[in-house]
Amino acid sequence: QRRLAKRAAAREADAPVPRGAATSAEPDPRLRQLRMESLEALSAVQRRADNAAGAPRPLGVRGAAPGIRATASGGTTTTGYVKARHPSGAKKKIFVPTARPWTRLGHNQPKHAFTVVSYNVLSQKLLDSHRYLYHTTLRPRMRLANLQKEIGRYGAQIVCLQEIEPENLEAFTGCVRTFKNDDKDIKRGAEVAFAPCGEPRTDGVAVLVDAGRFSIVHSHELTLDADEGKKNAGLVVTLSDREASGSLIVACAHLLFNPKRGDARLRQCVAFLRAVEEAKQQAVQPVRVVVCGDFNSYPDSAVYSFLSTGSVASIALEERTAHDDCKEHPFKIEKGRCVTAHEPYQDVSINKVSHALALESVYSLGGGEPGFTTYLPKGTKACVDYVWSSDLVPVGRLEPPPLE
């Protein structure tokens, strides 16, 4: 049948155009209508999936400090198939994101709680140069649309992005949940701060905030040098909050990937947190802090120890990490969560490098860090993304996709 169809198509292509007829590049109106109906069916399936998962409601905190519902995710997410009926009558499988549950952390919810999302969106340029890591990839426009849908569905007032290209920033402003207020003098939409990695790379990190609630007082763009011509980006943004006194500092970073250069990553992290401390000293008191991003560091690393404990052996600034052949890092199931099985970094040195931010990992509360925040079929499967807070009470978090 296929051969007959091809022959018929070939005869039609070779047939002369009748006099008075004209050739046209316009698609068949029936095909256009079928495509529109297919898109409408896909949207309906997505809405049903979102409704079934339940839209996340604002959670709050105990006491006077503003709360934080934090989400951390790497550049990949688990997805699933949903059966649907195509307008043509045939049954099709449509690809939609798997629902991810919110976990309450045991605190009451005041009205001034806010949500933070951290996400490595994977620069299209970097993806094109590392295609061997991926089984399949979507077309750039479709991948961008899926990222917008994934990030926008969580209703965050603060969105922190890594590996974001500057030309795509505007596309993500619609992912920020805007504050509803009848005051016409209050700005609507999103305010954006961006820090580039520096040449030859064009991507960077960005912080997008709800302009109806927050206003950017100051932003500090950091170029994090990693030696050998490698550069990464950090961004420290000081915000004023219409719902609370004082200041809120949101800091976002993307550290070096090279698994052998734990020393360079630690130096980047030290410089990054020094900038956060400087911003905290200059901001209107009291100051609350959120630090998040893709740190490319495992829970047993010197970088993680520095962030979590406030200090680390200064010798780690010069020590290169051993070559890591492990693609899938150890994990275990505790209280229904898939958490890392890494042992903490062992630090016995007297000479220390330290910070005074007193950071607390939102995802380590009630257990360990997630087993995975990045899961590449042909690459690393580990926890490398984190959300930290200081002088805030986390009230909820979005759990990673199910292990299966």
Side-chain angles (χ1 to χ4, degrees), residues 70-73 98-105 150 154 335-339 362-363 365 368-372 396-402:
T71 67
S73 177
T98 300
R100 298 170 59 182
W102 284 89
T103 298
R104 286 177 177 266
L105 297 177
E150 172 72 14
Y154 299 119
K335 300 178 182 178
R337 291 182 69 220
C338 174
V339 298
V362 176
Y363 276 81
L365 296 174
E369 296 287 353
F372 311 99
R397 66 184 174 216
L398 181 70
E399 298 296 346

Side-chain angles (χ1 to χ4, degrees), residues 38-39 41-50 76-86 91-99 135-139 142-143 145-147 149-150 153 377 404:
S38 300
L39 289 174
L42 178 59
S43 299
V45 171
Q46 180 65 56
R47 286 194 297 271
R48 288 197 297 271
D50 290 343
T76 57
T77 55
T78 302
T79 50
Y81 284 101
V82 174
K83 290 184 178 180
R85 185 170 294 278
H86 194 270
K91 288 185 178 180
K92 298 288 183 181
K93 288 184 177 180
I94 300 178
F95 213 45
V96 297
T98 300
H135 287 307
T136 57
T137 56
L138 298 175
R139 292 180 179 177
M142 183 175 293
R143 199 169 74 84
N146 282 359
L147 283 167
K149 186 179 296 184
E150 172 72 14
R153 67 193 298 204
E404 60 273 12

Side-chain angles (χ1 to χ4, degrees), residues 33-41 85-90 92:
Q33 179 65 23
L34 183 60
R35 291 193 193 102
M36 293 298 297
E37 291 175 354
S38 300
L39 289 174
E40 291 174 0
R85 185 170 294 278
H86 194 270
S88 64
K92 298 288 183 181

